[in-house]
DNA sequence: CTCATTGGTTACTTAAATGTTACTACTTTT
DNA sequence: AAAAGTAGTAACATTTAAGTAACCAATGAG
C-alpha cells in the first residue's frame, strides 16, 4: 500500500484504504488498541511477519501519523509503539470493517477481533 | 488485491480490505451507487482505467458477490452492472471511510464522494 | 463492401508490495 | 571470553497488482 496506489481520482475512500490497507496494518492497529506495545512483543505475537516488514509497516504508520514511536534509552534498547489520537479515530471504521468481514467469513475458520497468540 | 493478500491471521478487517481495496474498486462501487451502469459508460467516465483492468475488477467484484452483471442480448451487445444487496451493505463503511479520508485530505485538491466526470 | 460500435480477450511488460538472509552495536549474562 | 537479547538495516529475490497494445465477432450504417 501507499505509494503503490496513486489514486487518480483523489478518491477519499481510496486514500483511506491506502492508509490502513495491506496485509499487516489492520493487524498492527488492532494490536495497539489496548495500549502501547514494544517492538519485540509485536514480533513475537505476529510470528508470520518478518522483522523487516514489521519495521517498515510501523514506520509507515508513524509517518502517516497513526501511531507514535517512543524510544527509551536503556541498556537493552526498548521501543514502544502506541496509537496516536488520529489513529484512534480509525477505530469505528476498523470495527465496521470487522463486522462486515465477519459476515463474509467461512464460519469454520473464524478469526477474532483481537487475535492474541499465546507467547512463548 | 485478493489473492495477493493471504491474510495469515484470517483477520476480518483484512478480509474486508481484500474485498473493497485496490486502486479502482472503491471508485467502481461508488459509481454503481445510483443504479445500474453499462460497461462502456464506466469506461468513459473513468478514462484512466484500461478496459482490461476494468473488466477484471468488475469480474472480481461479481465473483465476490458485490455486484451483478446482466448481459442483454441485443444487436450491439449491452452489459449492465449494478450493486447486489450484499454490495449495498458496504455503503455505511464506504461512507465512513470517505469521511475519514476527507479529514486526511489536502484541502487544495479535494475530491468528491461521487466524482462524476462530464461525458464527451 | 467497408467501417464503426460494443464488450470484451490474449500475450506481454512494468511497478509495487512483500519476503529472505545475513549482518550490526551495544550490553548483560554465563 | 563466548553467548544471548534488543531493535533494527542492507542487499537481494519473489509474488502480486496494474498497465499496454493488439486483436475478435456480430451487427448496422453508409
Amino acid at each position: 500500500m501507499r505509494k503503490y496506489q496513486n489514486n487518480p481520482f483523489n478518491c477519499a475512500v481510496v486514500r483511506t484504504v491506502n492508509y490502513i490497507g495491506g496485509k499487516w496494518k489492520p493487524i498492527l492497529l488492532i494490536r495497539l488498541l489496548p495500549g502501547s506495545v514494544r517492538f519485540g512483543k509485536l514480533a513475537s505475537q505476529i510470528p508470520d511477519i518478518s522483522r523487516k516488514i514489521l519495521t517498515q509497516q510501523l514506520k509507515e504508520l508513524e509517518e502517516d501519523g497513526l501511531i507514535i514511536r517512543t524510544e527509551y534509552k536503556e541498556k537493552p534498547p526498548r521501543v514502544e509503539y502506541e496509537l496516536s489520537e488520529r489513529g484512534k479515530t480509525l477505530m469505528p471504521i476498523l470495527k465496521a470493517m470487522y463486522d462486515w468481514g465477519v459476515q463474509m467469513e467461512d464460519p469454520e475458520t473464524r478469526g477474532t477481533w483481537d487475535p492474541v497468540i499465546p507467547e512463548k
Side-chain angles (χ1 to χ4, degrees), chain A:
Chain A
M1 288 299 180
R2 288 188 84 217
K3 269 190 312 205
Y4 181 56
Q5 307 282 356
N6 52 10
N7 200 358
F9 275 85
N10 191 32
C11 171
V13 179
V14 174
R15 185 179 316 115
T16 300
V17 170
N18 291 351
Y19 275 100
I20 68 176
K23 184 168 177 177
W24 301 111
K25 282 182 183 172
I27 292 165
L28 292 174
L29 291 169
I30 289 169
R31 292 208 103 84
L32 295 180
L33 252 180
S36 76
V37 183
R38 56 190 297 187
F39 182 86
K41 192 164 186 184
L42 285 170
S44 69
Q45 287 178 337
I46 313 175
D48 288 347
I49 191 174
S50 71
R51 299 188 138 231
K52 183 209 147 189
I53 299 295
L54 177 55
T55 303
Q56 174 190 303
Q57 301 289 304
L58 289 168
K59 189 177 294 178
E60 287 185 8
L61 289 170
E62 192 204 0
E63 286 171 1
D64 287 343
L66 302 183
I67 67 174
I68 294 165
R69 176 183 187 275
T70 310
E71 198 171 339
Y72 297 89
K73 294 290 184 189
E74 294 178 0
K75 0 226 176 141
R78 178 161 68 102
V79 178
E80 301 248 2
Y81 292 91
E82 61 186 318
L83 288 179
S84 67
E85 287 310 309
R86 179 166 274 172
K88 288 174 187 167
T89 66
L90 282 169
M91 287 309 130
I93 293 174
L94 291 177
K95 188 65 170 67
M97 293 178 76
Y98 168 76
D99 290 337
W100 192 89
V102 165
Q103 303 258 263
M104 300 299 286
E105 176 171 45
D106 174 10
E108 298 303 310
T109 55
R110 175 156 303 175
T112 51
W113 168 241
D114 189 14
V116 176
I117 297 280
E119 302 169 50
K120 304 154 197 170

